[in-house]
Amino acid sequence: MEAVLILVQCRLFAGLGREALERLAQLCATLELAGGDPLFNLGDPAEYLYIVVTGRLRALRGNGTVAGDISRFELIGEISILTGEPRSGAVYALRDSVLLRIHRERFLEFITLHPSALLEITRTLIGRMRQNQQPAALAAVRATQNLALLPADPTGDIRAFAARLAEALATPVVLITAADVDAALGPGTSQTAFDRSPANRRLVNWLGEREASGHRLLYCASGAQDAWTERCLRQADRILLVASDRLNPNDSAAPSLLRRLQSRVPVELILQQRSVGVSGPLALWRGSCTLAAHHYLAGEVAADYARLARQLNGESLGLVLGGGGARGFAHIGLIRALEELSLPIDIVGGSSMGAFFSALLARGADSRELRRIARDTFVEHNYLNDFVLPRVSLIRGRRFLAQLKAIFGDDQIEALRTPFFCVSTNLTRGITVVHEHGPLATWVATSMAVPGIAPPMVWQSELLVDGALINSLPIDVMRNYARGPIIASDVSTAGSLNVPGIDGPDPEALLKRKRSGANVTLTDILFRSAMLTSEAEVRDRGALADVYLRMPVSGIGLFDWKRIDDAIERGYRHALQGLAEFRGA
């Protein structure tokens, strides 16, 4: 390759004159990395500056978190080159990559003569330091250019699936099959092994030209354990394993192939269903492959392809619903507003009451169904009245769990068509626990188990209670999925527990109060105490959301179940106003 043609496309050197570019090109040497290979590790000496020619690499901070992905014509390692200090993080190849490298001493001599290059490097460093971890993760998803489609069954028509997916992605897409390669470069070229031979370099350059077009590439692997399938996986920023819900992973070569290659790129399972609600052998696939995510496709349902495309594009709309007792009814108003604005929700999660409504959404319920179930569960029936001698809690919780099982049945979280999570608090260790699989009814009940009111869930010898205890609005959990923009609904009300008219100090004031509308009960105190720490931090988490809705629920008590219509209407009006700008963006 001609280094000058690479350097002129690199923003840091594009402004240099021809003579300077040619001088810099003479300092360059070529380095080839296979997918998964390290470029350098934490603490390594800074010997070279690197420029990506083809491929994609990932940078890790010293603590192991993702700092970002590095693609064509970007620099790697410039900080250590300038400071002379050891590498402050690690970089490895996500897929097969070709780089130019320049020795540190030679490069420092060059920028002494051409300070404009140093100025551009400084600007790049400032930009990277401003980028925090979560946007970097989402930016990496949105920068994904190469997708490899790996059929679990080699006899399937992967090209037809690829064409349908390409249409849904709604971006310029180029499909690449073994037949395409052979037609362009000669019969058998697609089976060229990855090595340092001229044939391999010719194929790498041809694929690089396709990538340089700016189009997203969909590599269609054969599924057989051949050189072309391996090349597709090595060229990918993300691998999509396409399987039928009728296929047992033990009957597929795909799991062993993925294990052998030890690719560092995320692998996501696309499970094609015979009909909605049939999850098939998902647990077996999770056990045989390391999956970053899974998706369901029911036949040729257009909405399923559209949802998959949004997730692959980093444009999925995530919804986080907070805890707050009866105030959580305002979430139903938000759901109604989202429906009227035609804003589809692709992933949901929540804490406490927010976990309950999120679970219903993940099962496909609309706002009308949410209202009906909420009224039946909390207003028309009292499933929270199986009181016991308060040795551990005020209620046994058996009736409420039975109601949740009647609503959710035997549903497993991982089998839901809309991805869902809820959080609980590990009271033993004082940490948040994220529930992404397992029995839906059980973990929703756990997320709603207010300490002192309902008994803790014992799990692996530890106690789990209401998620709102330390994380009433788990936006941070949703951000970790890096799927796209987030709407968060906060129904907490700071300072809402008070007794007007008593100045005090009077330690027995609550004991002497007559029953009235302002009466503070034991359950009020327990619930408020459980959520106090979380509410103190919720505004900080709110900054992580793209739309943060602090619902106007003041005056609605934690157990004012009969205020359901009032809370829903407040949430609806507030959401319409808060979402108007987001929808127009």
Side-chain angles (χ1 to χ4, degrees):
M1 75 182 69
E2 186 159 352
V4 171
L5 297 180
I6 303 301
L7 295 173
V8 78
Q9 297 179 78
C10 181
R11 182 171 63 86
L12 272 63
F13 306 124
L16 296 177
R18 182 71 184 185
E19 182 179 348
L21 285 172
E22 291 179 349
R23 176 179 176 82
L24 185 60
Q26 293 173 359
L27 305 178
C28 296
T30 301
L31 175 67
E32 296 181 3
L33 288 179
D37 285 353
L39 179 62
F40 54 74
N41 295 306
L42 175 67
D44 284 353
E47 296 183 294
Y48 294 95
L49 174 74
Y50 301 94
I51 303 166
V52 181
V53 179
T54 63
R56 185 179 299 274
L57 296 93
R58 173 157 293 175
L60 303 178
R61 298 185 178 91
N63 61 6
T65 59
V66 176
D69 286 359
I70 309 159
S71 55
R72 288 169 58 85
F73 312 129
E74 292 189 70
L75 266 66
I76 303 175
E78 65 275 11
I79 294 179
S80 298
I81 287 295
L82 294 178
T83 64
E85 297 176 350
R87 302 294 189 185
S88 59
V91 174
Y92 64 86
L94 276 174
R95 51 185 168 91
D96 293 346
S97 303
V98 178
L99 300 88
L100 297 179
R101 68 178 186 181
I102 308 172
H103 195 276
R104 177 176 183 266
E105 292 181 2
R106 304 288 83 77
F107 183 72
L108 292 179
E109 293 173 358
F110 175 81
I111 61 174
T112 301
L113 299 174
H114 303 278
S116 60
L118 177 60
L119 178 60
E120 286 299 328
I121 291 176
T122 304
R123 289 173 178 168
T124 299
L125 294 180
I126 293 173
R128 288 184 180 176
M129 287 187 290
R130 287 176 176 170
Q131 186 181 46
N132 63 38
Q133 178 181 352
Q134 299 305 335
L138 182 56
V141 173
R142 289 175 172 169
T144 297
Q145 188 168 1
N146 293 358
L147 300 175
L149 305 180
L150 174 63
D153 180 0
T155 64
D157 188 356
I158 195 63
R159 187 176 178 88
F161 172 82
R164 185 69 189 271
L165 177 59
E167 181 182 1
L169 287 170
T171 56
V173 173
V174 174
L175 303 185
I176 300 181
T177 67
D180 297 325
V181 172
D182 291 344
L185 301 179
T189 305
S190 60
Q191 297 301 326
T192 301
F194 181 83
D195 52 29
R196 297 186 181 278
S197 68
N200 175 68
R201 187 159 297 138
R202 180 167 172 253
L203 176 53
V204 168
N205 290 339
W206 186 84
L207 294 174
E209 290 171 2
R210 309 283 85 71
E211 186 174 339
S213 68
H215 291 55
R216 173 172 282 181
L217 305 186
L218 292 186
Y219 283 88
C220 299
S222 66
Q225 297 204 40
D226 58 16
W228 173 246
T229 290
E230 183 170 333
R231 170 127 4 221
C232 290
L233 303 187
R234 297 171 71 103
Q235 288 291 122
D237 298 320
R238 190 182 307 186
I239 298 171
L240 303 181
L241 174 59
V242 185
S244 164
D245 63 359
R246 300 183 183 185
L247 180 66
N248 188 305
N250 294 327
D251 298 325
S252 171
S256 61
L257 176 61
L258 291 170
R259 287 193 297 269
R260 179 171 62 82
L261 289 180
Q262 296 182 326
S263 174
R264 297 204 196 193
V265 303
V267 178
E268 301 187 10
L269 174 68
I270 299 177
L271 201 57
Q272 296 178 306
Q273 300 172 293
R274 287 160 287 174
S275 60
V276 175
V278 180
S279 61
L282 175 62
L284 295 177
W285 282 108
R286 291 170 64 93
S288 64
C289 306
T290 301
L291 299 177
H294 66 271
H295 312 273
Y296 291 111
L297 290 179
E300 295 298 313
V301 178
D304 284 1
Y305 278 89
R307 180 171 59 241
L308 173 60
R310 288 193 296 271
Q311 299 213 26
L312 295 178
N313 288 334
E315 298 171 349
S316 291
L317 188 55
L319 180 65
V320 180
L321 304 179
R327 299 166 187 153
F329 292 146
H331 297 321
I332 302 176
L334 166 60
I335 304 307
R336 177 187 166 194
L338 288 168
E339 291 169 352
E340 292 185 4
L341 295 172
S342 298
L343 290 172
I345 299 300
D346 297 310
I347 178 170
V348 294
S351 180
S352 199
M353 184 64 89
F356 177 72
F357 288 124
S358 295
L360 290 171
L361 279 175
R363 296 180 83 241
D366 60 13
S367 60
R368 291 184 180 181
E369 185 72 359
L370 292 181
R371 184 193 290 260
R372 184 193 66 76
I373 293 174
R375 187 180 298 279
D376 177 69
T377 302
F378 298 102
V379 182
E380 295 179 2
H381 299 90
N382 185 1
Y383 294 102
L384 300 173
N385 66 354
D386 53 348
F387 295 101
V388 295
L389 185 67
R391 183 172 63 90
V392 173
S393 59
L394 293 179
I395 66 172
R396 188 183 301 275
R398 186 178 295 168
R399 292 192 69 225
F400 186 65
L401 179 57
Q403 169 66 359
L404 292 183
K405 288 183 176 179
I407 294 171
F408 299 121
D410 296 325
D411 285 2
Q412 301 291 302
I413 293 176
E414 62 270 25
L416 297 172
R417 294 181 58 73
T418 298
F420 162 85
F421 72 87
C422 65
V423 299
S424 66
T425 299
N426 185 311
L427 202 59
T428 304
R429 291 186 282 160
I431 60 173
T432 294
V433 179
V434 181
H435 302 286
E436 302 171 296
H437 54 83
L440 182 61
T442 298
W443 294 129
V444 169
T446 304
S447 185
M448 302 176 74
V450 179
I453 296 179
M457 175 69 69
V458 180
W459 174 248
Q460 297 180 341
S461 302
E462 298 179 336
L463 304 182
L464 305 185
V465 296
D466 195 305
L469 184 62
I470 58 176
N471 196 347
S472 69
L473 194 64
I475 307 172
D476 52 333
V477 178
M478 182 68 80
R479 293 288 287 188
N480 288 335
Y481 287 101
R483 300 285 183 91
I486 299 171
I487 297 172
S489 178
D490 177 13
V491 291
S492 63
T493 55
S496 62
L497 196 64
N498 53 54
V499 184
I502 297 181
D503 294 328
D506 186 348
E508 298 188 1
L510 297 181
L511 302 177
K512 295 183 292 186
R513 294 281 291 174
K514 300 290 184 183
R515 286 191 174 274
S516 67
N519 192 40
V520 177
T521 67
L522 173 60
T523 54
D524 291 327
I525 295 172
L526 289 172
F527 200 101
R528 176 65 177 161
S529 299
M531 297 184 64
L532 197 58
T533 302
S534 182
E535 289 182 6
E537 299 175 351
V538 76
R539 283 184 293 275
D540 292 336
R541 289 196 180 95
L544 297 175
D546 297 270
V547 178
Y548 171 59
L549 299 173
R550 179 107 185 187
M551 291 298 185
V553 290
S554 59
I556 298 177
L558 295 167
F559 301 99
D560 280 349
W561 306 120
K562 294 184 178 181
R563 301 282 296 277
I564 181 172
D565 293 328
D566 180 23
I568 292 175
E569 185 64 20
R570 293 193 197 186
Y572 170 68
R573 299 290 179 188
H574 188 69
L576 280 180
Q577 181 179 359
L579 292 171
E581 183 176 347
F582 173 76
R583 186 172 184 267

